[in-house]
């Protein structure tokens, strides 16, 4: 296994795993391949969803995720927008504006 | 006085509110307000529509005199629409204190393009009005609610955070 891969362990319903295995057989690949593809596609779709993007931004505003994690999820450009908005929420910044 | 260059988006946000004291009047009283010709033209175009945004644009145009307008050369390298482009160029050319803009999806780029000018969005500007005692926190929340309804900001978590901050003040 190459070093940029991480081993994870999780529990999933039997039926779901059986279906993944069946699809792997059809495609001539393996369970890992099917699960990784499914996860990749889910993450891509989810981060194009505006509501979910706002959830992600909210987690960043509340310091639940870092800027690096934010960038991983929504991309550099969108992350830059959220970083500017986070600064707009900063009390000190609002005070600075009020004092001008 | 503190000089503030405004983009079309934020002026329209402020122009939506008609309850006294209107945020538009506060803006004009507190700052030297400047807009580039491109923003003025965008407002004229919006004012031709019979909706909330059109009426807001009309209210702004009624308050903008010649001394609020300035022509500026566009920076053609800048990948934004003409209004934002001209407003950023104007703020940089004059070294204005503040740049008021509500284009949330372009703020990273706008922020990076401003040299010495501080960026401020409408919710933050309103919060600073509260800080200065120009609006009570309750008045600011109600102003923000009117703008949120007209601009479909309901789902925006930045606006939600700005609002809940005012409620806890």
């Amino acid at each position: 296994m190459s070093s940029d891969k991480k081993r994870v362990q999780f529990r999933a319903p039997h039926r779901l795993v059986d279906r993944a295995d069946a699809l792997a057989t059809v495609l001539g690949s393996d369970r890992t391949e099917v699960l990784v593809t499914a996860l990749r596609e889910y993450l891509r779709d989810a981060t194009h969803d505006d509501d979910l993007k706002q959830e992600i931004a909210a987690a960043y505003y509340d310091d639940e995720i870092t800027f690096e994690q934010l960038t991983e999820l929504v991309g550099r450009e969108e992350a830059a927008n959220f970083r500017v908005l986070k600064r707009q929420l900063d009390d000190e910044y609002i005070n600075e504006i009020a004092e001008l | 006085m503190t000089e503030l260059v405004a983009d079309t988006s934020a002026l329209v946000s402020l122009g939506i509110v008609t309850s006294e004291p209107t945020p538009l009047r506060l803006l004009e009283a507190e700052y030297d307000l400047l807009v580039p010709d491109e923003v003025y033209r965008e407002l004229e175009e919006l004012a031709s529509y019979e909706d909330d945004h059109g009426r807001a644009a009309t209210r702004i145009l009624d308050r903008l005199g010649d001394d609020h307008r300035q022509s500026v050369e566009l920076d053609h390298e800048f990948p934004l629409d003409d209004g934002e482009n001209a407003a950023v160029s104007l703020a940089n050319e004059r070294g204005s204190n503040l740049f008021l803009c509500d284009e949330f999806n372009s703020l990273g780029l706008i922020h990076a393009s401003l040299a010495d000018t501080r960026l401020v969005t409408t919710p933050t500007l309103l919060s600073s009005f509260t800080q200065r005692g120009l609006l009570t926190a309750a008045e600011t929340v109600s102003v923000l609610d009117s703008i949120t309804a007209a601009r479909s900001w309901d789902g925006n978590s930045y606006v939600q955070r700005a609002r809940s901050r005012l409620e806890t003040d």
Side-chain angles (χ1 to χ4, degrees):
Chain A
M1 190 181 277
S2 74
S3 59
D4 65 342
K5 290 196 172 148
K6 189 171 176 177
R7 173 178 285 277
V8 289
Q9 216 177 358
F10 61 94
R11 290 178 192 283
H14 277 292
R15 222 175 103 72
L16 204 57
V17 178
D18 291 347
R19 287 173 67 192
D21 288 344
L23 186 62
T25 307
V26 171
L27 297 175
S29 71
D30 59 26
R31 182 192 290 167
T32 298
E33 190 72 23
V34 170
L35 295 179
V36 166
T37 304
L39 185 59
R40 189 179 289 130
E41 287 182 4
Y42 170 77
L43 287 172
R44 191 192 57 208
D45 290 349
T47 48
H48 280 89
D49 177 306
D50 283 342
D51 290 344
L52 195 60
K53 222 182 275 179
Q54 288 300 325
E55 292 273 338
I56 294 167
Y60 171 63
Y61 300 146
D62 297 342
D63 294 321
E64 288 163 9
I65 58 169
T66 64
F67 181 69
E68 286 67 32
Q69 287 174 311
L70 174 74
T71 309
E72 283 287 322
L73 285 169
V74 300
R76 211 182 286 260
E77 200 179 323
E78 205 102 46
N81 293 333
F82 293 141
R83 174 149 69 180
V84 172
L85 286 172
K86 184 172 183 174
R87 179 142 160 79
Q88 295 283 317
L89 290 167
D90 186 71
D91 282 335
E92 258 176 56
Y93 191 71
I94 295 171
N95 287 341
E96 264 177 56
I97 301 292
E99 280 164 17
L100 281 178
Chain B
M1 200 148 61
T2 309
E3 188 173 288
L4 179 147
V5 172
D7 177 43
T8 314
S9 57
L11 287 173
V12 170
S13 299
L14 294 174
I16 280 163
V17 185
T18 53
S19 56
E20 292 291 338
T22 66
L24 211 50
R25 203 146 58 82
L26 291 174
L27 179 74
E28 214 187 313
E30 297 298 312
Y31 297 105
D32 270 335
L33 172 63
L34 271 186
V35 300
D37 290 337
E38 283 77 3
V39 164
Y40 195 89
R41 277 199 288 277
E42 286 182 1
L43 290 166
E44 283 180 324
E45 199 190 320
L46 273 172
S48 65
Y49 294 97
E50 289 277 322
D51 59 11
D52 283 351
H53 293 69
R55 283 184 285 275
T58 305
R59 278 181 214 114
I60 301 151
L61 290 170
D62 286 347
R63 304 197 76 93
L64 288 180
D66 284 346
D67 50 336
H68 294 115
R69 287 178 65 175
Q70 189 91 31
S71 65
V72 69
E73 213 163 296
L74 295 188
D75 175 356
H76 292 289
E77 304 275 296
F78 196 53
L80 287 172
D81 72 27
D82 282 358
E84 289 154 12
N85 189 334
V88 168
S89 299
L90 181 61
N92 281 339
E93 189 182 290
R94 298 185 55 95
S96 307
N97 306 93
L98 286 172
F99 184 81
L100 177 63
C101 181
D102 281 349
E103 293 294 346
F104 299 156
N105 294 325
S106 316
L107 282 187
L109 183 58
I110 290 171
H111 179 255
S113 307
L114 289 168
D116 298 315
T117 304
R118 284 191 180 84
L119 177 66
V120 65
T121 62
T122 292
T124 297
L125 181 77
L126 293 172
S127 301
S128 80
F129 284 169
T130 314
Q131 192 75 17
R132 288 160 76 156
L134 300 169
L135 289 172
T136 65
E139 280 171 337
T140 309
V141 167
S142 124
V143 163
L144 200 50
D145 285 349
S146 307
I147 299 173
T148 297
R151 302 207 63 123
S152 312
W153 281 352
D154 315 55
N156 188 296
S157 48
Y158 158 65
V159 177
Q160 286 164 4
R161 292 294 181 284
R163 189 187 186 285
S164 53
R165 221 153 247 261
L166 289 160
E167 281 189 319
T168 53
D169 272 351

